Amino acid sequence: MDFDLTPEQREIRKVAREFAEAEVAPVAARHDETCLFPHAIIQKLGELGFMGVLVPPEDGGVGLDYVSYALIVEELNRVDASVGITLWAHNSLCTNHINLFGTKAQKGKYLVPLARGEAIGAWGLTEPGSGSDAAAMKSTAVPEGDHFILNGTKAFITNGSVGRVAVVMAITDPTRGNKGISAFILEKGMPGFSPGQRYKKLGLRASDTSELVFDGVRVPQDNLLGDLHMGFVNTLQVLEGGRIAMAAMAVGLAQGALDASLAYVKQRTAFGRTLAEFNGIQGMLGEMATEIEAARLLTLRAAYLKDQGKPARGAASMAKVFASEVGMRAATRAVQLHGGAGYITEFPVERMFRDVKLCEIGEGTSEIQRMVIAREILQLA
Ligand SMILES: Cc1cc2nc3c(=O)[nH]c(=O)nc-3n(C[C@H](O)[C@H](O)[C@H](O)COP(=O)(O)OP(=O)(O)OC[C@H]3O[C@@H](n4cnc5c(N)ncnc54)[C@H](O)[C@@H]3O)c2cc1C
């Protein structure tokens, strides 16, 4: 058993940390306050190769492993989860779906610009009437000559309005349940395809979340992604990797909350001593650090299994549910450790407290993760 990162993985983490601290952290609060999408940062992430982390070099990416990807995600979320979720939806969902199931032509046309960061990607599964029960979607894709005609609406889509490329799921055979759903690649500017309303959110305010509306969109046959009717089945594979990244997102947020708390309790005084000297405070810090380390280990283990080509569904769900709940507890404690200062926008823990809640909801809620884990151990999967 070897818990050490490779020299390459350590180097990637260093690059991500330096970038996050120098370029992302200084503007995170302003972006959050003004709900400003971080276009300039995303462009720089592209220059670093971080918009094509899992994509092989021949398709425009840098071809790193999942462990490296988890480290990058953790470092960015440690300072700004709005940037983190933008990177997650782009890499884990849209880009990875095309990477795993795209044809050579689709990769040349869509994956290369996505992986280079020249285009931002979105991925639409959730609908106004179906989230946890995603296969109950209503969007349809009906064949007409050499096209499909798409109608319907997707809800809560990250990068929905800033994305130039979107992978979306729609019903192609209503009699086949989840084996009658297909995936399609859509481009901004296709007639009938529009972003719909942009949501105002509790947290992750600098990230872009919107509806996607399909009103008779004519999508060429060539944009069918993967086999006909296999879109939902393929989605489960995409989600497995996505859950590992969302676990890393929660670890990053939790670590950010702990770092901010450590700095605060060393300088804040009460009763003639720094907060850091009180037993009660030390107990909270010790518990936060222990939980975060456990969440990180579960996350990196799931990433490692994925890199080894081993089954990782249960491990990904365990990492996701544990890390997101650790993240929520860490952010709650961080606000408590800051007292009144934790409740105002001047300190980053206020933002982290709002941002981290999404980790318990997105990419399958905690309740759904526990169901996935139970089905694995009951061997019902
Ligand atoms: C900021 C943000 C970004 C997002 N980005 C994307 C994206 O890029 N692409 C995308 O496709 N989706 C995205 N989503 C959607 C997200 O994946 C869904 O919100 C999530 O899967 C939950 O679905 P829902 O909101 O419909 O909740 P529901 O499914 O209505 O669930 C409501 C509650 O009921 C519980 N519940 C449901 N079924 C069961 C059950 N069988 N047993 C026990 N409890 C159950 C849930 O756990 C939850 O607590 C995003 C959401 C947000 C908020």
Side-chain angles (χ1 to χ4, degrees):
M1 210 174 200
D2 184 358
F3 287 99
D4 269 348
L5 299 176
T6 65
E8 293 77 22
Q9 289 162 345
R10 277 202 295 274
E11 183 57 28
I12 290 291
R13 184 175 60 184
K14 183 168 170 278
V15 170
R17 180 169 299 178
E18 284 172 2
F19 176 77
E21 285 175 355
E23 308 266 350
V24 185
V27 286
R30 185 168 60 81
H31 283 172
D32 174 70
E33 202 176 328
T34 53
C35 300
L36 193 72
F37 184 81
H39 282 288
I41 289 174
I42 300 305
Q43 193 183 334
K44 287 181 187 164
L45 288 176
E47 288 159 17
L48 284 171
F50 289 177
M51 297 297 271
V53 181
L54 302 167
V55 178
E58 61 270 25
D59 293 319
V62 288
L64 297 177
D65 57 8
Y66 263 90
V67 168
S68 301
Y69 179 41
L71 296 170
I72 294 168
V73 171
E74 178 183 336
E75 291 304 328
L76 288 168
N77 282 282
R78 204 173 128 250
V79 303
D80 187 356
S82 282
V83 169
I85 193 169
T86 304
L87 179 103
W88 159 80
H90 172 93
N91 275 287
S92 287
L93 304 181
C94 177
T95 302
N96 203 32
H97 201 142
I98 302 175
N99 188 30
L100 290 173
F101 299 105
T103 61
K104 203 170 173 347
Q106 287 169 343
K107 288 182 178 179
K109 186 168 178 190
Y110 298 110
L111 190 57
V112 170
L114 284 166
R116 288 185 182 152
E118 294 159 6
I120 296 175
W123 189 83
L125 178 66
T126 307
E127 298 196 352
S130 58
S132 302
D133 183 12
M137 68 180 63
K138 295 273 187 289
S139 293
T140 54
V142 177
E144 191 184 278
D146 55 0
H147 283 72
F148 287 87
I149 310 298
L150 259 70
N151 281 292
T153 303
K154 297 288 170 187
F156 303 130
I157 306 308
T158 305
N159 301 336
S161 74
V162 296
R164 198 169 94 198
V165 177
V167 170
V168 304
M169 272 47 74
I171 296 170
T172 37
D173 185 344
T175 66
R176 290 167 54 110
N178 64 12
K179 299 221 171 61
I181 292 170
S182 303
F184 299 90
I185 306 173
L186 269 58
E187 277 178 76
K188 204 172 217 169
M190 282 178 164
F193 176 42
S194 61
Q197 69 157 316
R198 194 169 178 232
Y199 302 97
K200 293 179 182 155
K201 307 189 291 290
L202 169 73
L204 303 170
R205 289 188 175 166
S207 74
D208 172 62
T209 320
S210 79
E211 291 179 325
L212 291 180
V213 179
F214 321 128
D215 183 9
V217 189
R218 281 174 62 78
V219 182
Q221 290 264 8
D222 287 348
N223 285 32
L224 173 69
L225 179 58
D227 291 338
L228 186 67
H229 305 321
M230 288 302 284
F232 190 80
V233 176
N234 294 345
T235 284
L236 300 181
Q237 201 175 322
V238 175
L239 288 174
E240 188 177 292
R243 284 171 182 165
I244 298 171
M246 191 152 279
M249 179 173 168
V251 173
L253 272 154
Q255 186 65 51
L258 176 59
D259 293 346
S261 302
L262 292 173
Y264 189 77
V265 300
K266 281 190 215 161
Q267 56 87 20
R268 175 76 177 172
T269 53
F271 304 100
R273 296 152 81 185
T274 63
L275 295 182
E277 292 172 76
F278 293 110
N279 280 349
I281 300 284
Q282 289 177 3
M284 281 165 83
L285 293 169
E287 207 161 313
M288 281 165 84
T290 307
E291 287 194 349
I292 294 168
E293 196 55 30
R296 182 178 289 117
L297 287 173
L298 272 183
T299 303
L300 293 179
R301 175 176 168 269
Y304 172 81
L305 289 174
K306 198 101 180 104
D307 286 333
Q308 300 303 307
K310 294 187 176 156
R313 183 177 301 175
S317 286
M318 284 181 188
K320 202 269 184 187
V321 68
F322 187 76
S324 59
E325 293 182 4
V326 163
M328 197 68 232
R329 278 197 294 279
T332 307
R333 284 186 177 128
V335 169
Q336 192 68 20
L337 285 164
H338 281 67
Y343 205 72
I344 60 172
T345 57
E346 198 178 323
F347 291 84
V349 294
E350 179 270 346
R351 171 168 47 86
M352 291 164 177
F353 179 79
R354 289 185 283 106
D355 287 352
V356 74
K357 183 63 196 168
L358 184 272
C359 297
E360 294 184 318
I361 296 170
E363 195 76 13
T365 62
S366 293
E367 291 72 29
I368 296 303
Q369 302 309 322
R370 289 189 168 91
M371 277 169 50
V372 172
I373 296 161
R375 289 181 72 83
E376 286 266 321
I377 58 175
L378 289 165
Q379 300 185 338
L380 296 174

